[in-house]
Amino acid sequence: MTSIDEREPGLSDRETVARRLLDSSEQLSYDPVKEVDWETPLDTDYHGASPEWSTLYGTSYWAEMTPEQQRELTRQEAASVASTGIWFEMILQQMVLRDFYAKDPTDPAFQWALTEIADECRHSIMFARGAAKLRAPAYRPRRFVVELGRVFKATATGEAAYAAILVAEEVLDVMQRDWMRDERVVPFVRTINNIHVVEESRHMKFAREETRERLEGAGWLRRQINGLVVAVASYFIVTSMVNAKVYENAGLDGKRARREAKANEHHKSMLRSSCSGLMEFLHSAGLLTKPSLWFYKRANLI
């Protein structure tokens, strides 16, 4: 196979990328039903996520918690992240399907879009089964955020849709790369993370290419408006990842846990470091505008 930077004869750059993503998907994709160990009972001697990614890691409350409480908290937090992932993957699927409605089915980009939707369907089922195995309830974003998502998935187009997709995928990608390598994390969660990281790398490539393509010839005002739309969407995606109810469900004092998590500089630093590459891309695309910076800072992404 030729390198990703080489353009295939007769195909545009966009079509070349889509063709190669299709080829990659054929060569390396997973079936979670077969790959994930769903049968072995949950081993509570393991974490659900790398402890360093816990919203309470580094706080005085974390230091007071027993190892059992710490592990239970990370399991609840991992389940919450998975549930938020399902919520956004459903938004993503609808935006992509709407974008490619009635377009040329012979276009490799059209075929890749359907492949991505199929991937996301499998991922959502995998996350749902994983959260259930972690013995977590159905975590959902606040009602207000759910309704905002309903509006966003019905109206977002072009670079606003694909850049928002990229934000959600990039943040998850960095944390899950840590989790899948961490032997403190329960094995079936590590497998889930590995599957998601491998397959989402293709989705991120597509989202970047679509964002660049849609922005070709875009003027200052359009970039300002869509930069702000993406930032607002990013804020609600990231701040919804860990549901406030995880603390009570882990047997903690919810009020104190929320207070310390909100002030946790370690967790804020982890989020910022995970988004450095993303922010560079948004800046290069002209979407990291002054108004958008306020939302990214509020979400601790910059």
Side-chain angles (χ1 to χ4, degrees), residues 111-129:
Q111 295 169 28
W112 168 253
L114 295 184
T115 301
E116 180 166 342
I117 290 168
D119 286 348
E120 298 297 5
C121 286
R122 287 186 291 103
H123 293 170
S124 293
I125 295 169
M126 176 176 71
F127 284 158
R129 293 185 68 179

Side-chain angles (χ1 to χ4, degrees), residues 83-94:
S83 296
T84 303
I86 295 169
W87 166 69
F88 190 75
E89 283 180 344
M90 295 185 74
I91 293 175
L92 180 160
Q93 292 170 50
Q94 293 177 73

Side-chain angles (χ1 to χ4, degrees), residues 53-71:
W53 275 101
S54 173
T55 55
L56 287 181
Y57 185 87
T59 64
S60 58
Y61 202 173
W62 179 269
E64 295 173 20
M65 292 163 59
T66 65
E68 291 75 18
Q69 287 176 316
Q70 292 172 353
R71 292 193 294 267

Side-chain angles (χ1 to χ4, degrees), residues 13-266:
D13 292 344
R14 176 171 176 264
E15 290 171 332
T16 296
V17 169
R19 181 69 264 164
R20 290 178 183 170
L21 291 174
L22 284 167
D23 291 343
S24 174
S25 180
E26 290 174 5
Q27 294 172 23
L28 185 60
S29 290
Y30 297 96
D31 180 356
V33 173
K34 297 178 180 177
E35 298 289 341
V36 181
D37 179 6
W38 299 113
E39 302 303 320
T40 302
L42 175 66
D43 188 340
T44 56
D45 287 336
Y46 286 95
H47 285 275
S50 295
E52 293 78 9
W53 275 101
S54 173
T55 55
L56 287 181
Y57 185 87
T59 64
S60 58
Y61 202 173
W62 179 269
E64 295 173 20
M65 292 163 59
T66 65
E68 291 75 18
Q69 287 176 316
Q70 292 172 353
R71 292 193 294 267
E72 179 59 29
L73 175 60
T74 62
R75 290 194 293 269
Q76 293 296 321
E77 288 176 322
S80 178
V81 170
S83 296
T84 303
I86 295 169
W87 166 69
F88 190 75
E89 283 180 344
M90 295 185 74
I91 293 175
L92 180 160
Q93 292 170 50
Q94 293 177 73
M95 290 194 299
V96 173
L97 193 58
R98 180 163 49 82
D99 185 38
F100 280 88
Y101 174 71
K103 290 186 178 178
D104 180 3
T106 66
D107 181 354
F110 180 98
Q111 295 169 28
W112 168 253
L114 295 184
T115 301
E116 180 166 342
I117 290 168
D119 286 348
E120 298 297 5
C121 286
R122 287 186 291 103
H123 293 170
S124 293
I125 295 169
M126 176 176 71
F127 284 158
R129 293 185 68 179
K133 187 165 180 174
L134 287 169
R135 301 174 185 170
Y139 291 114
R140 297 184 182 89
R142 290 172 293 142
R143 186 68 187 180
F144 172 69
V145 178
V146 169
E147 295 307 319
L148 281 179
R150 197 184 303 279
V151 173
F152 183 71
K153 70 182 176 61
T155 59
T157 58
E159 63 271 14
Y162 286 100
I165 288 171
L166 184 62
V167 169
E169 292 175 339
E170 289 262 7
V171 174
L172 274 175
D173 181 72
V174 174
M175 65 173 67
Q176 289 184 328
R177 283 179 186 274
D178 285 348
W179 301 359
M180 75 182 195
R181 300 186 186 104
D182 193 337
E183 294 185 357
R184 297 170 296 176
V185 175
V186 66
F188 83 89
V189 170
R190 294 177 63 192
T191 304
I192 287 173
N193 290 327
N194 182 67
I195 291 172
H196 197 246
V197 163
V198 169
E199 298 186 347
E200 286 295 316
S201 66
R202 296 190 286 261
H203 300 183
M204 290 187 290
K205 175 66 177 176
F206 186 66
R208 285 175 182 255
E209 290 300 318
E210 289 295 308
T211 300
R212 291 191 189 100
E213 164 121 355
R214 306 308 172 93
L215 280 170
E216 286 185 6
W220 179 87
L221 181 59
R222 178 173 157 186
R223 291 176 192 267
Q224 291 289 311
I225 292 171
N226 284 324
L228 185 58
V229 169
V230 172
V232 172
S234 303
Y235 172 82
F236 286 111
I237 292 167
V238 172
T239 57
S240 298
M241 282 189 171
V242 177
N243 192 291
K245 296 178 181 178
V246 299
Y247 306 113
E248 285 92 348
N249 290 335
L252 304 178
D253 178 340
K255 187 174 181 180
R256 180 187 174 187
R258 285 187 286 272
R259 183 176 65 251
E260 294 202 22
K262 186 176 181 180
N264 188 356
E265 292 300 326
H266 170 80

